[in-house]
Amino acid sequence: MTASGLPMTVPARGLPARVRIHEVGARDGLQNEKTVVPTEIKAEFVHRLAGAGLPVVEATSFVHPRWVPQLADAEELFGKLLDVDGLDPAMLPVLVPNDRGLDRALALGARSVAVFASATESFARANLNRTVDEALSMFAPVVARSKEAGVRVRGYLSMCFGDPWEGPVPIEQVVRVCRALLGMGCDELSLGDTIGVATPGHVRALLTALNGAGVDTGRIGVHFHDTYGQALANTLAALEHGVTTVDASAGGLGGCPYAKSATGNLATEDLVWMLHGLGIDTGVDLGALTDTSVWMAEALGRPSPSRTVRALSHKE
Amino acid sequence: MTASGLPMTVPARGLPARVRIHEVGARDGLQNEKTVVPTEIKAEFVHRLAGAGLPVVEATSFVHPRWVPQLADAEELFGKLLDVDGLDPAMLPVLVPNDRGLDRALALGARSVAVFASATESFARANLNRTVDEALSMFAPVVARSKEAGVRVRGYLSMCFGDPWEGPVPIEQVVRVCRALLGMGCDELSLGDTIGVATPGHVRALLTALNGAGVDTGRIGVHFHDTYGQALANTLAALEHGVTTVDASAGGLGGCPYAKSATGNLATEDLVWMLHGLGIDTGVDLGALTDTSVWMAEALGRPSPSRTVRALSHKE
């Protein structure tokens, strides 16, 4: 642990007073883990993340178990979180790919769901076996039924900056899909830099283009990956633009399939370090969060890729 | 390797058109390596870094060999770089701690040197066994003699944001030492976040305070560490302020003594990815630089902690 009183809080002009961290470690993070994590461990993970003050903890995904075996226990886990742990379903979004997934989620008491679209045809084909527009058509009734049920809907959008097959993704293509998701009733977008190639000017340009197309910044969340180490710089650019919802994964869980302990998702601890240093309120207890990530890393049997977790958990 | 054409270049308003990267891997990076690297490998490393387009490659340090055994071959290495490899000494700064170090460097033909001061008493004591002012008194004649010889002088300043013993470092304390270094004739400062705790508001505040004290931004370089993952976000804040000299270490070499493959220094590749994405000219060939870091990592027997190096060197 470093000397107390660090990071020193020095606010910067033009940044939001408060940021809402959308914690994705239990879903997006674990989804990429090959070792199947026991349901009890997942439940404790979500519980501890909520206890550390994270306002939104994405819990699981109601996709078909064949697609994501790690999340095949969605019913059992989500039921336990609500019934045994007594957590508020409004703070536990779950992914729903289609009508059947929504049925399962609603039956268990879900109050916040997410659909996941792609900005590129290549990834829509790879991830959903559909064109971009076919996927949007699949989501439209899911979103409509959610809204009728008074359930909050987030729209994830993958490959907003670069695509592994197509290279740079034109901004107007991203704007079109964003408008479609909001038009069908999504309350919030999450702009994903799925392969981590974005840089701060690209972030500013996309946000500016979205505003120009009538999208309010308050409805935009950002989801950066650290594949090239750019996630926090991109986040700073988004904050400077007024974005107040930032996705991150406790301990940097998930993401990079090819390098042991290399990262994909922005680590929540690295994000919190920056936000607290900037005097931006998050409600998060960094010590409790770090302890949780250290515990989860031990359960997974490998060190956390988060630099803040490594630095803070180092024993002299 | 990711799809070609990435990162997509999207310039951002208010940033410099060109950044001068001060490469510290061969000195600051290797200095922290326990395994002594053969002189021939070091020479090839410097040569390849220069060949990759880096405009400044810090070569070695003329401290007493007892202090830094890794750099005990300073004479042999520096002589070889100039005489055998034919590199320009103006692009190869060397560290000199005192008059004797300067004598050794000048005798070999050094044209660019650096002294290293501390912003805190605790680190001055730990690193130099002197008070801050005693260290400055030791450097004054070194700087004066360098200037008389027409040699460029850089002044490193450690612990500009936080100190492991003292915690947060008051900005006015940093400004005082910066002014002293410039007052004795240093051409350039390098503001070091030695323990990596800075955040972007703190960076902006220090730069603003330095300007307020009459220090021109053109004379300020920044030297961030990635201990808490903040280096690139802090760099962006410095660029937004107009800073055009940024220190970085090829492959992220050096720094973190406690975690294998965890990083201290900002990796040059991660920096170049951001700068090129922003359309900022560096003169660096990212592919050649990455190849060099992969080669050096193999020589050291452990993977590079740079995320960009890991991502770009991944073979499917």
Side-chain angles (χ1 to χ4, degrees), chain A residues 141-161:
Chain A
V142 175
V143 176
R145 288 180 53 215
S146 299
K147 300 309 296 174
E148 283 166 25
V151 165
R152 180 179 170 87
V153 187
R154 159 176 261 224
Y156 276 104
L157 191 56
S158 293
M159 305 297 174
C160 290
F161 300 91

Side-chain angles (χ1 to χ4, degrees), chain A residues 22 24 27 56-63 78 89-90 92-99 101-102 105-106 110-117 128 138-139 142-143 146-147 151-157 181 184 186-190 223 247:
Chain A
H22 185 107
V24 300
R27 196 277 307 168
V56 183
V57 183
E58 206 165 275
T60 188
S61 172
F62 287 91
V63 297
F78 196 64
L92 301 175
V94 294
L95 259 62
V96 292
N98 50 31
D99 268 324
L102 181 63
L106 292 179
R111 304 301 301 156
S112 180
V113 301
V115 296
F116 40 99
L128 299 165
M138 176 173 72
F139 296 137
V142 175
V143 176
S146 299
K147 300 309 296 174
V151 165
R152 180 179 170 87
V153 187
R154 159 176 261 224
Y156 276 104
L157 191 56
L181 286 167
M184 66 177 70
C186 285
D187 298 286
E188 177 180 274
L189 298 170
S190 171
H223 185 111
D247 295 5

Side-chain angles (χ1 to χ4, degrees), chain A residues 175-201:
Chain A
V175 170
R176 183 182 79 83
V177 185
C178 284
R179 292 188 65 182
L181 286 167
L182 291 172
M184 66 177 70
C186 285
D187 298 286
E188 177 180 274
L189 298 170
S190 171
L191 306 177
D193 180 19
T194 314
I195 59 171
V197 297
T199 45

Side-chain angles (χ1 to χ4, degrees), chain A residues 50 67 90 123 125 142 145 164 171 185 216 227 239 246 258 260 306:
Chain A
W67 295 1
F123 190 69
R125 180 62 60 191
V142 175
R145 288 180 53 215
I171 284 175
D216 185 69
T227 321
L239 297 176
V246 181
Y258 51 76
K260 202 175 172 185
S306 160

Side-chain angles (χ1 to χ4, degrees), chain A residues 3-313:
Chain A
S4 61
L6 295 170
M8 188 171 166
T9 294
V10 187
R13 278 192 313 276
L15 297 185
R18 186 174 174 85
V19 159
R20 186 164 139 275
I21 299 176
H22 185 107
E23 168 61 46
V24 300
R27 196 277 307 168
D28 189 14
L30 291 183
Q31 178 174 314
N32 288 295
E33 289 293 328
K34 287 211 172 63
T35 312
V36 174
V37 178
T39 307
E40 300 70 41
I41 299 286
K42 290 177 187 163
E44 184 170 349
F45 189 37
V46 172
H47 203 88
R48 288 181 70 157
L49 292 169
L54 286 155
V56 183
V57 183
E58 206 165 275
T60 188
S61 172
F62 287 91
V63 297
H64 194 288
R66 192 176 57 231
W67 295 1
V68 188
Q70 180 69 265
L71 305 181
D73 61 354
E75 260 93 359
E76 185 189 349
L77 172 63
F78 196 64
K80 180 170 160 38
L81 291 172
L82 267 49
D83 302 336
V84 180
D85 294 340
L87 292 173
D88 177 0
M91 70 168 294
L92 301 175
V94 294
L95 259 62
V96 292
N98 50 31
D99 268 324
R100 196 166 47 208
L102 181 63
D103 290 339
R104 293 164 61 203
L106 292 179
L108 286 163
R111 304 301 301 156
S112 180
V113 301
V115 296
F116 40 99
S118 169
T120 67
E121 294 296 341
S122 298
F123 190 69
R125 180 62 60 191
N127 197 42
L128 299 165
N129 198 29
R130 282 171 169 76
T131 67
V132 168
D133 287 337
E134 284 167 359
L136 291 173
S137 299
M138 176 173 72
F139 296 137
V142 175
V143 176
R145 288 180 53 215
S146 299
K147 300 309 296 174
E148 283 166 25
V151 165
R152 180 179 170 87
V153 187
R154 159 176 261 224
Y156 276 104
L157 191 56
S158 293
M159 305 297 174
C160 290
F161 300 91
D163 176 285
W165 299 279
E166 301 181 15
V169 178
I171 284 175
E172 58 274 18
Q173 189 171 318
V174 182
V175 170
R176 183 182 79 83
V177 185
C178 284
R179 292 188 65 182
L181 286 167
L182 291 172
M184 66 177 70
C186 285
D187 298 286
E188 177 180 274
L189 298 170
S190 171
L191 306 177
D193 180 19
T194 314
I195 59 171
V197 297
T199 45
H202 200 165
V203 173
R204 289 192 202 174
L206 175 55
L207 293 171
T208 301
L210 282 168
N211 292 157
V215 178
D216 185 69
T217 305
R219 301 180 76 177
I220 302 173
V222 289
H223 185 111
F224 294 120
H225 278 205
D226 231 354
T227 321
Y228 296 84
Q230 309 294 309
L232 212 47
N234 289 335
T235 300
L236 181 60
L239 297 176
E240 289 171 345
H241 192 90
V243 168
T244 57
T245 297
V246 181
D247 295 5
S249 177
L253 271 181
C256 195
Y258 51 76
K260 202 175 172 185
S261 287
T263 68
N265 282 307
L266 170 60
T268 312
E269 290 85 354
D270 298 9
L271 172 63
V272 169
W273 184 279
M274 182 175 84
L275 295 176
H276 289 187
L278 286 163
I280 296 173
D281 183 25
T282 65
V284 174
D285 177 334
L286 181 57
L289 174 60
T290 301
D291 289 346
T292 301
S293 291
V294 169
W295 165 82
M296 193 67 211
E298 284 168 4
L300 292 168
R302 59 182 182 76
S304 163
S306 160
R307 287 168 174 169
T308 298
V309 170
R310 289 186 185 201
L312 290 180
S313 64

Side-chain angles (χ1 to χ4, degrees), chain A residues 1-15 161-171 195-205 226-230 232-234 236-237 240 258-263 269-271 273-278 305-308 310-312 314, chain B residues 1-15 161-171 195-205 226-230 232-234 236-237 240 258-263 269-271 273-278 305-308 310-312 314:
Chain A
M1 183 71 84
T2 187
S4 61
L6 295 170
M8 188 171 166
T9 294
V10 187
R13 278 192 313 276
L15 297 185
F161 300 91
D163 176 285
W165 299 279
E166 301 181 15
V169 178
I171 284 175
I195 59 171
V197 297
T199 45
H202 200 165
V203 173
R204 289 192 202 174
D226 231 354
T227 321
Y228 296 84
Q230 309 294 309
L232 212 47
N234 289 335
L236 181 60
E240 289 171 345
Y258 51 76
K260 202 175 172 185
S261 287
T263 68
E269 290 85 354
D270 298 9
L271 172 63
W273 184 279
M274 182 175 84
L275 295 176
H276 289 187
L278 286 163
S306 160
R307 287 168 174 169
T308 298
R310 289 186 185 201
L312 290 180
H314 168 61
Chain B
M1 184 68 87
T2 186
S4 62
L6 293 171
M8 189 171 166
T9 294
V10 187
R13 277 194 312 278
L15 297 185
F161 299 92
D163 175 286
W165 298 279
E166 301 181 15
V169 178
I171 284 175
I195 58 171
V197 297
T199 46
H202 200 164
V203 173
R204 289 192 201 173
D226 231 353
T227 322
Y228 297 83
Q230 309 294 310
L232 212 47
N234 289 335
L236 180 60
E240 288 171 344
Y258 52 77
K260 202 176 171 183
S261 287
T263 68
E269 291 85 355
D270 297 8
L271 172 63
W273 185 278
M274 183 175 83
L275 295 176
H276 289 187
L278 286 163
S306 160
R307 286 167 174 170
T308 299
R310 290 186 183 199
L312 290 179
H314 169 62

